[in-house]
Amino acid sequence: MILNKKILNKEEEQQLKERVAQFENNSGAELVLAVANESDPYPGAVLRSALFLSFFTTLLLSYFIEFGYSYLYIVSQLILTFLFLPLSRMKLFKSWALVDSEVDREVKEKALEVFFTHCSEKASHSNETLIYTSLYEKRIEVLVGKNIKEKILQEDLEEIVNKIKDGFGKKSYLKAYRDGLELLESKLLEAFPEKVSQSGADELSNSVLWL
């Protein structure tokens, strides 16, 4: 897969897998590291981009071509919108048409979907944690199971997110995850001095989940 080669090579991925196993052994919590190319295709942003490009192009053409009938202006814009749709799916054109609230919603929804699909449904307890990264949006979400949520504040999770983001900003992806895991582990041990669970945590895969 091309995506994982951009942020982690095979050696780094193996090192991260070993660190996840160590984290689970130390804390007694399950952990899933998930990395997605993007959280949603954002059809709304694609349409907005196509509409803008068609409007701008039609406006430009009107300086050189005289539309004999006013309806031709509308027809040409509709045709151009259809033609620009494939181009608007490219990230370069789609990005500027995105709305922050739209991105926040889609990333959170995808993170929840991954949490329930790859964590909650596969683990027999509520001690699971998820670090979800969406590369296109440059967003990170940290979700925890019911048992952990009772003692870990949202501010703690946001602190972990910011720690990982700092490393991503420097393109030190392996270090970013290591620092994030270290901070998460310390907060879990602070909240659960005798580990989150004494029964061990080895139900979920320790490998990075590439989506």
Side-chain angles (χ1 to χ4, degrees), residues 12-30:
E12 290 173 332
E13 193 172 347
Q14 180 60 33
Q15 291 178 31
L16 192 55
K17 180 179 179 179
E18 294 171 359
R19 180 64 182 92
V20 170
Q22 182 185 30
F23 167 88
E24 293 183 341
N25 182 62
N26 293 343
S27 67
E30 293 277 6

Side-chain angles (χ1 to χ4, degrees), residues 10 28 33 60 65 100 103 109 118 127 147 189 192 198:
K10 290 187 178 297
L33 283 176
L60 188 63
I65 302 174
D100 284 342
V103 172
E109 287 181 358
H118 297 279
N127 301 324
N147 293 344
L189 292 177
F192 302 89
Q198 295 294 331

Side-chain angles (χ1 to χ4, degrees), residues 68-83:
Y69 301 94
S70 58
Y71 74 87
L72 290 177
Y73 185 89
I74 298 174
V75 170
S76 66
Q77 191 166 343
L78 289 174
I79 293 173
L80 286 170
T81 298
F82 178 77
L83 294 175

